[in-house]
PDB file of all heavy atoms in Angstrom:
ATOM      1  N   LYS A   4       0.427   8.934   1.423  1.00  0.00           N
ATOM      2  CA  LYS A   4       0.910  10.252   1.089  1.00  0.00           C
ATOM      3  C   LYS A   4       0.692  11.201   2.278  1.00  0.00           C
ATOM      4  O   LYS A   4      -0.350  11.159   2.909  1.00  0.00           O
ATOM      5  CB  LYS A   4       0.181  10.779  -0.144  1.00  0.00           C
ATOM      6  CG  LYS A   4       0.677  12.122  -0.657  1.00  0.00           C
ATOM      7  CD  LYS A   4      -0.020  12.472  -1.960  1.00  0.00           C
ATOM      8  CE  LYS A   4       0.586  13.704  -2.578  1.00  0.00           C
ATOM      9  NZ  LYS A   4      -0.014  14.006  -3.874  1.00  0.00           N
ATOM     10  N   LEU A   9       6.538  16.350   4.158  1.00  0.00           N
ATOM     11  CA  LEU A   9       7.157  15.573   3.080  1.00  0.00           C
ATOM     12  C   LEU A   9       8.150  14.549   3.576  1.00  0.00           C
ATOM     13  O   LEU A   9       8.365  13.511   2.936  1.00  0.00           O
ATOM     14  CB  LEU A   9       7.792  16.472   2.048  1.00  0.00           C
ATOM     15  CG  LEU A   9       6.844  17.444   1.321  1.00  0.00           C
ATOM     16  CD1 LEU A   9       7.612  18.308   0.332  1.00  0.00           C
ATOM     17  CD2 LEU A   9       5.719  16.683   0.669  1.00  0.00           C
ATOM     18  N   TYR A  14       7.925   5.561  14.076  1.00  0.00           N
ATOM     19  CA  TYR A  14       8.554   4.342  14.573  1.00  0.00           C
ATOM     20  C   TYR A  14       7.574   3.186  14.572  1.00  0.00           C
ATOM     21  O   TYR A  14       6.400   3.348  14.935  1.00  0.00           O
ATOM     22  CB  TYR A  14       9.069   4.524  15.992  1.00  0.00           C
ATOM     23  CG  TYR A  14      10.297   5.386  16.098  1.00  0.00           C
ATOM     24  CD1 TYR A  14      10.209   6.748  16.236  1.00  0.00           C
ATOM     25  CD2 TYR A  14      11.564   4.801  16.003  1.00  0.00           C
ATOM     26  CE1 TYR A  14      11.340   7.533  16.347  1.00  0.00           C
ATOM     27  CE2 TYR A  14      12.707   5.578  16.090  1.00  0.00           C
ATOM     28  CZ  TYR A  14      12.602   6.936  16.243  1.00  0.00           C
ATOM     29  OH  TYR A  14      13.727   7.699  16.334  1.00  0.00           O
ATOM     30  N   TYR A  27       5.173   7.144   1.104  1.00  0.00           N
ATOM     31  CA  TYR A  27       5.744   5.979   1.779  1.00  0.00           C
ATOM     32  C   TYR A  27       4.983   4.745   1.314  1.00  0.00           C
ATOM     33  O   TYR A  27       3.728   4.731   1.256  1.00  0.00           O
ATOM     34  CB  TYR A  27       5.563   6.103   3.308  1.00  0.00           C
ATOM     35  CG  TYR A  27       6.252   5.024   4.068  1.00  0.00           C
ATOM     36  CD1 TYR A  27       7.625   5.103   4.305  1.00  0.00           C
ATOM     37  CD2 TYR A  27       5.576   3.920   4.528  1.00  0.00           C
ATOM     38  CE1 TYR A  27       8.280   4.106   4.982  1.00  0.00           C
ATOM     39  CE2 TYR A  27       6.227   2.901   5.216  1.00  0.00           C
ATOM     40  CZ  TYR A  27       7.570   3.014   5.452  1.00  0.00           C
ATOM     41  OH  TYR A  27       8.239   2.002   6.116  1.00  0.00           O
ATOM     42  N   THR A  30       4.290  -2.989   2.666  1.00  0.00           N
ATOM     43  CA  THR A  30       3.388  -4.148   2.689  1.00  0.00           C
ATOM     44  C   THR A  30       3.313  -4.705   4.113  1.00  0.00           C
ATOM     45  O   THR A  30       2.571  -5.676   4.347  1.00  0.00           O
ATOM     46  CB  THR A  30       3.890  -5.268   1.738  1.00  0.00           C
ATOM     47  OG1 THR A  30       5.201  -5.637   2.125  1.00  0.00           O
ATOM     48  CG2 THR A  30       3.837  -4.829   0.286  1.00  0.00           C
ATOM     49  N   GLU A  46      -4.113   7.108   2.326  1.00  0.00           N
ATOM     50  CA  GLU A  46      -3.798   6.047   1.422  1.00  0.00           C
ATOM     51  C   GLU A  46      -4.033   6.503  -0.020  1.00  0.00           C
ATOM     52  O   GLU A  46      -5.010   7.199  -0.266  1.00  0.00           O
ATOM     53  CB  GLU A  46      -4.647   4.835   1.736  1.00  0.00           C
ATOM     54  CG  GLU A  46      -4.256   3.578   1.049  1.00  0.00           C
ATOM     55  CD  GLU A  46      -5.077   2.392   1.516  1.00  0.00           C
ATOM     56  OE1 GLU A  46      -5.520   2.341   2.644  1.00  0.00           O
ATOM     57  OE2 GLU A  46      -5.300   1.519   0.654  1.00  0.00           O
ATOM     58  N   GLU A  53       3.224  11.333  -7.722  1.00  0.00           N
ATOM     59  CA  GLU A  53       4.035  12.120  -8.629  1.00  0.00           C
ATOM     60  C   GLU A  53       5.318  12.462  -7.916  1.00  0.00           C
ATOM     61  O   GLU A  53       5.342  13.360  -7.076  1.00  0.00           O
ATOM     62  CB  GLU A  53       3.285  13.375  -9.061  1.00  0.00           C
ATOM     63  CG  GLU A  53       2.052  13.059  -9.890  1.00  0.00           C
ATOM     64  CD  GLU A  53       1.332  14.354 -10.276  1.00  0.00           C
ATOM     65  OE1 GLU A  53       1.973  15.439 -10.283  1.00  0.00           O
ATOM     66  OE2 GLU A  53       0.144  14.257 -10.539  1.00  0.00           O
ATOM     67  N   ILE A  54       6.382  11.784  -8.268  1.00  0.00           N
ATOM     68  CA  ILE A  54       7.656  12.027  -7.604  1.00  0.00           C
ATOM     69  C   ILE A  54       8.579  12.634  -8.626  1.00  0.00           C
ATOM     70  O   ILE A  54       8.801  12.096  -9.702  1.00  0.00           O
ATOM     71  CB  ILE A  54       8.259  10.709  -7.066  1.00  0.00           C
ATOM     72  CG1 ILE A  54       7.342  10.099  -6.014  1.00  0.00           C
ATOM     73  CG2 ILE A  54       9.630  10.955  -6.467  1.00  0.00           C
ATOM     74  CD1 ILE A  54       7.828   8.714  -5.582  1.00  0.00           C
ATOM     75  N   GLU A  57      14.433  14.174  -9.885  1.00  0.00           N
ATOM     76  CA  GLU A  57      15.529  15.147  -9.930  1.00  0.00           C
ATOM     77  C   GLU A  57      15.669  15.907  -8.618  1.00  0.00           C
ATOM     78  O   GLU A  57      16.774  16.351  -8.278  1.00  0.00           O
ATOM     79  CB  GLU A  57      15.337  16.141 -11.080  1.00  0.00           C
ATOM     80  CG  GLU A  57      15.427  15.542 -12.473  1.00  0.00           C
ATOM     81  CD  GLU A  57      16.842  15.065 -12.836  1.00  0.00           C
ATOM     82  OE1 GLU A  57      17.807  15.600 -12.279  1.00  0.00           O
ATOM     83  OE2 GLU A  57      16.935  14.151 -13.661  1.00  0.00           O
ATOM     84  N   ASP A  58      14.578  16.095  -7.875  1.00  0.00           N
ATOM     85  CA  ASP A  58      14.602  16.790  -6.605  1.00  0.00           C
ATOM     86  C   ASP A  58      15.084  15.950  -5.465  1.00  0.00           C
ATOM     87  O   ASP A  58      15.340  16.466  -4.358  1.00  0.00           O
ATOM     88  CB  ASP A  58      13.239  17.351  -6.259  1.00  0.00           C
ATOM     89  CG  ASP A  58      12.786  18.468  -7.200  1.00  0.00           C
ATOM     90  OD1 ASP A  58      13.674  19.074  -7.879  1.00  0.00           O
ATOM     91  OD2 ASP A  58      11.598  18.731  -7.295  1.00  0.00           O
ATOM     92  N   THR A  60      17.623  13.350  -3.289  1.00  0.00           N
ATOM     93  CA  THR A  60      19.060  13.147  -3.081  1.00  0.00           C
ATOM     94  C   THR A  60      19.426  11.730  -3.576  1.00  0.00           C
ATOM     95  O   THR A  60      18.557  10.905  -3.774  1.00  0.00           O
ATOM     96  CB  THR A  60      19.418  13.258  -1.595  1.00  0.00           C
ATOM     97  OG1 THR A  60      18.811  12.177  -0.867  1.00  0.00           O
ATOM     98  CG2 THR A  60      19.001  14.612  -1.009  1.00  0.00           C
ATOM     99  N   ASP A  62      20.824   9.433  -1.796  1.00  0.00           N
ATOM    100  CA  ASP A  62      20.397   8.461  -0.793  1.00  0.00           C
ATOM    101  C   ASP A  62      18.906   8.189  -0.863  1.00  0.00           C
ATOM    102  O   ASP A  62      18.468   7.030  -0.743  1.00  0.00           O
ATOM    103  CB  ASP A  62      20.727   8.986   0.625  1.00  0.00           C
ATOM    104  CG  ASP A  62      22.237   8.909   0.939  1.00  0.00           C
ATOM    105  OD1 ASP A  62      22.923   8.095   0.282  1.00  0.00           O
ATOM    106  OD2 ASP A  62      22.677   9.656   1.796  1.00  0.00           O
ATOM    107  N   LEU A  64      17.081   8.408  -3.606  1.00  0.00           N
ATOM    108  CA  LEU A  64      16.892   7.634  -4.811  1.00  0.00           C
ATOM    109  C   LEU A  64      17.289   6.164  -4.604  1.00  0.00           C
ATOM    110  O   LEU A  64      16.600   5.271  -5.051  1.00  0.00           O
ATOM    111  CB  LEU A  64      17.730   8.206  -5.958  1.00  0.00           C
ATOM    112  CG  LEU A  64      17.251   9.550  -6.506  1.00  0.00           C
ATOM    113  CD1 LEU A  64      18.356  10.170  -7.386  1.00  0.00           C
ATOM    114  CD2 LEU A  64      15.952   9.353  -7.292  1.00  0.00           C
ATOM    115  N   LYS A  65      18.369   5.935  -3.833  1.00  0.00           N
ATOM    116  CA  LYS A  65      18.789   4.552  -3.533  1.00  0.00           C
ATOM    117  C   LYS A  65      17.710   3.857  -2.696  1.00  0.00           C
ATOM    118  O   LYS A  65      17.406   2.686  -2.888  1.00  0.00           O
ATOM    119  CB  LYS A  65      20.126   4.564  -2.797  1.00  0.00           C
ATOM    120  CG  LYS A  65      21.293   4.872  -3.718  1.00  0.00           C
ATOM    121  CD  LYS A  65      22.606   4.884  -2.944  1.00  0.00           C
ATOM    122  CE  LYS A  65      23.784   5.179  -3.836  1.00  0.00           C
ATOM    123  NZ  LYS A  65      25.062   5.199  -3.111  1.00  0.00           N
ATOM    124  N   LYS A  81      23.872   9.970  -9.743  1.00  0.00           N
ATOM    125  CA  LYS A  81      22.433  10.305  -9.634  1.00  0.00           C
ATOM    126  C   LYS A  81      21.686  10.044 -10.924  1.00  0.00           C
ATOM    127  O   LYS A  81      20.598   9.470 -10.931  1.00  0.00           O
ATOM    128  CB  LYS A  81      22.304  11.766  -9.204  1.00  0.00           C
ATOM    129  CG  LYS A  81      20.872  12.193  -8.952  1.00  0.00           C
ATOM    130  CD  LYS A  81      20.804  13.605  -8.391  1.00  0.00           C
ATOM    131  CE  LYS A  81      19.395  14.008  -8.129  1.00  0.00           C
ATOM    132  NZ  LYS A  81      19.317  15.298  -7.418  1.00  0.00           N
TER     133      LYS A  81
END
Side-chain angles (χ1 to χ4, degrees):
K4 185 173 187 177
L9 298 180
Y14 286 90
Y27 187 81
T30 57
E46 190 175 329
E53 293 179 24
I54 299 174
E57 293 292 334
D58 292 340
T60 66
D62 287 338
L64 290 166
K65 286 179 179 180
K81 184 174 182 173

